[in-house]
Coordinates of all heavy atoms in Angstrom, one line a residue:
A191 N -37.2 -212.0 59.4 CA -36.9 -212.1 58.0 C -38.1 -212.5 57.2 O -38.3 -211.9 56.1 CB -35.8 -213.2 57.8
R192 N -39.0 -213.4 57.7 CA -40.2 -213.7 57.0 C -41.2 -212.6 56.9 O -41.8 -212.4 55.9 CB -40.9 -214.9 57.7 CG -40.1 -216.2 57.4 CD -40.7 -217.4 58.1 NE -40.0 -218.6 57.7 CZ -40.1 -219.7 58.4 NH1 -40.9 -219.8 59.5 NH2 -39.5 -220.8 58.0
Q193 N -41.3 -211.8 58.0 CA -42.1 -210.6 58.0 C -41.7 -209.6 56.9 O -42.5 -208.9 56.3 CB -42.1 -209.9 59.4 CG -42.8 -210.6 60.5 CD -42.6 -209.9 61.8 OE1 -41.8 -209.0 62.0 NE2 -43.3 -210.3 62.8
L194 N -40.4 -209.5 56.7 CA -39.9 -208.6 55.7 C -39.9 -209.2 54.3 O -39.3 -208.6 53.4 CB -38.5 -208.2 56.1 CG -38.4 -207.4 57.4 CD1 -36.9 -207.1 57.8 CD2 -39.1 -206.0 57.3
G195 N -40.5 -210.4 54.1 CA -40.6 -211.0 52.8 C -39.5 -211.9 52.4 O -39.4 -212.4 51.3
G196 N -38.6 -212.3 53.4 CA -37.6 -213.2 53.1 C -38.1 -214.6 52.9 O -39.2 -214.9 53.3
T197 N -37.3 -215.5 52.3 CA -37.7 -216.8 52.0 C -37.6 -217.7 53.2 O -38.1 -218.8 53.1 CB -36.9 -217.4 50.8 OG1 -35.5 -217.5 51.3 CG2 -37.0 -216.6 49.6
G198 N -36.9 -217.3 54.2 CA -36.6 -218.2 55.3 C -35.4 -219.1 55.1 O -35.1 -220.0 55.9
E199 N -34.7 -218.8 54.0 CA -33.5 -219.6 53.7 C -32.2 -218.8 54.2 O -32.1 -217.6 53.9 CB -33.4 -219.8 52.2 CG -32.3 -220.7 51.7 CD -32.5 -221.0 50.2 OE1 -33.4 -221.7 49.9 OE2 -31.7 -220.5 49.5
F200 N -31.4 -219.5 54.9 CA -30.2 -218.9 55.5 C -28.9 -219.7 55.2 O -29.0 -220.9 55.1 CB -30.3 -218.7 57.0 CG -31.4 -217.8 57.4 CD1 -32.7 -218.2 57.5 CD2 -31.1 -216.5 57.8 CE1 -33.7 -217.3 57.9 CE2 -32.0 -215.6 58.2 CZ -33.4 -216.0 58.3
T201 N -27.8 -219.0 55.2 CA -26.5 -219.6 55.1 C -25.6 -219.1 56.2 O -25.8 -217.9 56.6 CB -25.8 -219.4 53.7 OG1 -25.6 -218.0 53.5 CG2 -26.6 -220.0 52.6
V202 N -24.7 -219.9 56.7 CA -23.7 -219.5 57.7 C -22.4 -220.2 57.4 O -22.4 -221.2 56.7 CB -24.2 -219.9 59.1 CG1 -25.4 -219.1 59.5 CG2 -24.3 -221.3 59.3
N203 N -21.4 -219.6 57.9 CA -20.0 -220.3 57.9 C -19.8 -220.6 59.4 O -19.4 -219.7 60.2 CB -19.0 -219.3 57.3 CG -19.1 -219.2 55.8 OD1 -19.6 -220.1 55.2 ND2 -18.7 -218.0 55.3
S204 N -20.0 -221.8 59.7 CA -19.9 -222.3 61.1 C -18.6 -222.7 61.5 O -17.8 -223.4 60.8 CB -20.9 -223.5 61.3 OG -20.8 -224.0 62.6
T205 N -18.2 -222.4 62.8 CA -17.0 -223.0 63.3 C -17.3 -224.4 63.5 O -18.4 -224.8 63.7 CB -16.6 -222.3 64.7 OG1 -17.6 -222.6 65.6 CG2 -16.4 -220.8 64.5
P206 N -16.2 -225.3 63.5 CA -16.5 -226.7 63.8 C -17.2 -227.0 65.1 O -18.1 -227.8 65.1 CB -15.1 -227.3 63.8 CG -14.3 -226.4 62.9 CD -14.8 -225.0 63.2
A207 N -16.9 -226.2 66.1 CA -17.6 -226.4 67.4 C -19.1 -226.1 67.4 O -19.8 -226.6 68.2 CB -16.9 -225.6 68.5
A208 N -19.5 -225.2 66.5 CA -20.9 -224.7 66.5 C -21.8 -225.6 65.5 O -23.0 -225.4 65.5 CB -20.9 -223.3 66.1
V209 N -21.2 -226.5 64.8 CA -22.0 -227.3 63.9 C -23.1 -228.0 64.5 O -24.3 -228.0 64.0 CB -21.1 -228.3 63.1 CG1 -21.9 -229.4 62.3 CG2 -20.2 -227.6 62.1
P210 N -23.0 -228.7 65.7 CA -24.1 -229.3 66.3 C -25.2 -228.3 66.7 O -26.4 -228.7 66.6 CB -23.5 -229.9 67.6 CG -22.1 -230.1 67.3 CD -21.7 -228.9 66.4
I211 N -24.9 -227.1 67.1 CA -25.9 -226.1 67.4 C -26.7 -225.7 66.1 O -27.9 -225.7 66.1 CB -25.3 -224.9 68.1 CG1 -24.7 -225.3 69.4 CG2 -26.3 -223.8 68.2 CD1 -23.8 -224.3 70.0
Y212 N -26.0 -225.4 65.1 CA -26.6 -225.1 63.8 C -27.5 -226.2 63.3 O -28.5 -226.0 62.7 CB -25.6 -224.6 62.8 CG -25.2 -223.2 63.0 CD1 -23.9 -222.9 63.3 CD2 -26.1 -222.1 62.9 CE1 -23.5 -221.6 63.6 CE2 -25.7 -220.8 63.1 CZ -24.4 -220.5 63.4 OH -24.0 -219.2 63.6
S213 N -27.0 -227.4 63.5 CA -27.7 -228.6 63.0 C -29.1 -228.7 63.7 O -30.1 -229.0 63.1 CB -26.9 -229.9 63.3 OG -25.8 -229.9 62.4
R214 N -29.1 -228.4 65.0 CA -30.3 -228.5 65.8 C -31.3 -227.4 65.3 O -32.5 -227.5 65.5 CB -30.0 -228.3 67.3 CG -29.5 -229.6 68.0 CD -29.6 -229.5 69.5 NE -28.8 -228.4 70.0 CZ -27.5 -228.6 70.4 NH1 -26.9 -229.8 70.3 NH2 -26.8 -227.6 70.9
L215 N -30.8 -226.3 64.7 CA -31.6 -225.2 64.2 C -32.0 -225.5 62.8 O -32.6 -224.6 62.2 CB -30.9 -223.9 64.4 CG -30.6 -223.5 65.8 CD1 -29.7 -222.2 65.8 CD2 -31.9 -223.2 66.6
G216 N -31.7 -226.6 62.2 CA -32.2 -227.0 60.9 C -31.2 -226.8 59.8 O -31.5 -226.9 58.6
F217 N -29.9 -226.4 60.1 CA -28.9 -226.2 59.1 C -28.2 -227.5 58.7 O -28.1 -228.4 59.6 CB -27.8 -225.2 59.6 CG -28.2 -223.8 59.6 CD1 -29.0 -223.3 60.7 CD2 -27.9 -222.9 58.6 CE1 -29.4 -222.0 60.8 CE2 -28.3 -221.6 58.7 CZ -29.0 -221.1 59.8
T218 N -27.8 -227.7 57.5 CA -27.0 -228.8 57.1 C -25.7 -228.3 56.4 O -25.7 -227.3 55.7 CB -27.8 -229.7 56.1 OG1 -28.2 -229.0 55.0 CG2 -29.0 -230.4 56.8
A219 N -24.7 -229.1 56.5 CA -23.4 -228.7 55.8 C -23.6 -228.8 54.3 O -24.2 -229.7 53.8 CB -22.3 -229.6 56.3
T220 N -23.0 -227.8 53.6 CA -23.1 -227.8 52.2 C -21.8 -228.1 51.5 O -21.7 -228.1 50.3 CB -23.6 -226.4 51.7 OG1 -22.7 -225.4 52.1 CG2 -25.0 -226.2 52.2
G221 N -20.8 -228.4 52.3 CA -19.5 -228.8 51.7 C -18.5 -229.1 52.8 O -18.9 -229.0 54.0
P222 N -17.3 -229.5 52.4 CA -16.3 -229.8 53.4 C -15.8 -228.5 54.1 O -16.1 -227.4 53.7 CB -15.2 -230.4 52.6 CG -15.3 -229.8 51.2 CD -16.8 -229.6 51.1
H223 N -15.0 -228.7 55.2 CA -14.5 -227.5 55.9 C -13.6 -226.7 54.9 O -13.0 -227.3 54.0 CB -13.7 -227.9 57.1 CG -12.3 -228.4 56.9 ND1 -12.0 -229.7 56.7 CD2 -11.2 -227.7 56.9 CE1 -10.7 -229.8 56.5 NE2 -10.2 -228.6 56.6
E224 N -13.5 -225.4 55.2 CA -12.7 -224.5 54.4 C -11.9 -223.7 55.4 O -12.2 -223.7 56.6 CB -13.6 -223.6 53.5 CG -14.4 -224.4 52.5 CD -15.2 -223.5 51.6 OE1 -14.8 -222.4 51.4 OE2 -16.3 -224.0 51.2
V225 N -10.8 -223.1 54.9 CA -10.0 -222.2 55.7 C -9.8 -220.9 55.0 O -9.5 -220.9 53.8 CB -8.6 -222.9 55.9 CG1 -7.7 -221.9 56.7 CG2 -8.7 -224.2 56.6
A226 N -10.1 -219.8 55.7 CA -9.9 -218.5 55.1 C -9.2 -217.6 56.2 O -9.7 -217.6 57.3 CB -11.2 -217.9 54.7
N227 N -8.2 -217.0 55.9 CA -7.4 -216.1 56.8 C -7.1 -216.9 58.1 O -7.1 -216.3 59.2 CB -8.2 -214.9 57.1 CG -8.4 -214.0 55.9 OD1 -7.5 -213.9 55.0 ND2 -9.6 -213.5 55.7
G228 N -6.8 -218.1 58.0 CA -6.4 -218.9 59.1 C -7.6 -219.5 60.0 O -7.3 -220.2 61.0
F229 N -8.8 -219.2 59.6 CA -10.0 -219.6 60.3 C -10.6 -220.8 59.6 O -10.9 -220.7 58.4 CB -11.0 -218.5 60.5 CG -10.5 -217.4 61.4 CD1 -9.9 -216.3 60.9 CD2 -10.6 -217.6 62.8 CE1 -9.4 -215.3 61.7 CE2 -10.1 -216.6 63.6 CZ -9.5 -215.5 63.1
K230 N -10.9 -221.9 60.3 CA -11.5 -223.1 59.7 C -13.0 -222.9 59.9 O -13.5 -222.5 61.0 CB -11.0 -224.3 60.4 CG -11.5 -225.6 59.9 CD -10.9 -226.8 60.6 CE -11.4 -228.1 60.1 NZ -10.7 -229.2 60.7
Y231 N -13.8 -223.2 58.9 CA -15.3 -223.1 59.0 C -15.9 -224.1 58.0 O -15.3 -224.7 57.1 CB -15.8 -221.7 58.6 CG -15.6 -221.3 57.2 CD1 -16.5 -221.5 56.2 CD2 -14.4 -220.6 56.8 CE1 -16.4 -221.1 54.9 CE2 -14.2 -220.3 55.5 CZ -15.2 -220.5 54.6 OH -15.0 -220.1 53.2
I232 N -17.2 -224.4 58.3 CA -18.0 -225.3 57.5 C -19.1 -224.5 57.0 O -19.9 -224.0 57.7 CB -18.5 -226.5 58.4 CG1 -17.3 -227.4 58.8 CG2 -19.5 -227.4 57.6 CD1 -16.8 -227.0 60.1
P233 N -19.3 -224.4 55.6 CA -20.4 -223.7 55.1 C -21.7 -224.6 55.4 O -21.7 -225.8 55.2 CB -20.1 -223.6 53.6 CG -19.1 -224.7 53.3 CD -18.4 -225.0 54.6
M234 N -22.8 -223.9 55.8 CA -24.0 -224.5 56.1 C -25.2 -223.7 55.6 O -25.1 -222.5 55.3 CB -24.2 -224.7 57.6 CG -23.1 -225.5 58.3 SD -23.4 -225.8 60.0 CE -24.5 -227.2 59.9
R235 N -26.3 -224.5 55.4 CA -27.5 -223.8 54.8 C -28.7 -224.4 55.5 O -28.8 -225.5 55.9 CB -27.6 -224.2 53.3 CG -28.7 -223.6 52.6 CD -28.6 -223.9 51.1 NE -29.7 -223.3 50.4 CZ -30.5 -224.0 49.6 NH1 -30.3 -225.3 49.4 NH2 -31.4 -223.5 48.9
R236 N -29.7 -223.5 55.7 CA -31.0 -223.9 56.2 C -32.0 -223.7 55.2 O -32.2 -222.5 54.7 CB -31.3 -223.1 57.5 CG -32.6 -223.5 58.1 CD -33.0 -222.5 59.2 NE -34.2 -222.9 59.8 CZ -35.5 -222.7 59.3 NH1 -35.6 -222.1 58.2 NH2 -36.5 -223.1 60.0
E237 N -32.7 -224.7 54.8 CA -33.7 -224.6 53.8 C -34.9 -223.8 54.3 O -35.2 -223.8 55.4 CB -34.2 -226.0 53.4 CG -33.2 -226.9 52.8 CD -32.8 -226.6 51.4 OE1 -33.6 -226.0 50.7 OE2 -31.7 -226.9 51.0

């Protein structure tokens, strides 16, 4: 992404179980959990 000129900023919708993994990769939660189509997720962002 950086080679292609990206800023290095990413967002994900993490499952609750994957939050610790994304946290280790530099992501932080940007809000409370949400539910869409029956799936629970936590929006996260990596600066």
Side-chain angles (χ1 to χ4, degrees):
R192 286 181 175 160
Q193 287 173 351
L194 295 173
T197 64
E199 188 171 290
F200 291 84
T201 60
V202 295
N203 289 330
S204 174
T205 63
V209 167
I211 296 167
Y212 282 114
S213 293
R214 282 194 297 268
L215 295 173
F217 286 83
T218 56
T220 58
H223 81 270
E224 299 182 27
V225 178
N227 298 319
F229 292 97
K230 185 176 181 178
Y231 66 91
I232 295 90
M234 300 185 80
R235 179 173 181 237
R236 184 189 179 281
E237 298 286 336

